[in-house]
Amino acid sequence: MDTGKKVNKGIMGRKKGSPKKKSVSRSVKAKLQFPVSRIGRYLKKSHYSQRVQSDAPVYLAAVLECLAAKVLELAGNTARDNKKNRIIPRHILLAVRNDEELGKLLADVTIAHSGVLPNINPVLLP
């Protein structure tokens, strides 16, 4: 079956002279800013299960990116309402507590250096 022609192969089975393909990360393929490979590594290392499906870290990275974008957008709006250019923990607290869905999700979370929501019990008012 050997035709007598010998194909010269270089490193890793590639033909000599063929350009090496540039590697593309999974974050770039999924068009995400959050690191898919790092999230996958943390899922495997944490032993949440024996196996981790290949698209699980992609989905988790997308969900985390969506949550972060929503919190940052609301906190930025709160900062702009207070005539500030920078987001501080107080703005994050006000944004999260004033949003119904994020308030439920982060109900038991304490944000450091953010204070409390301004609230006066109606019974105490004259």
Side-chain angles (χ1 to χ4, degrees), residues 22-35:
K22 185 165 170 111
S23 62
V24 180
S25 70
R26 290 195 287 172
S27 297
V28 172
K29 286 180 186 176
K31 296 178 182 163
L32 295 173
Q33 298 299 315
F34 274 52

Side-chain angles (χ1 to χ4, degrees), residues 9-16 18-21:
K9 291 191 176 184
I11 301 171
M12 297 190 311
R14 285 187 291 120
K15 293 181 182 178
K16 284 187 180 178
S18 64
K20 183 180 177 185
K21 291 183 180 178

Side-chain angles (χ1 to χ4, degrees), residues 55-75:
D55 59 346
V58 177
Y59 192 86
L60 182 58
V63 169
L64 290 174
E65 186 172 321
C66 181
L67 277 173
K70 186 168 183 175
V71 169
L72 283 174
E73 181 185 357
L74 292 172

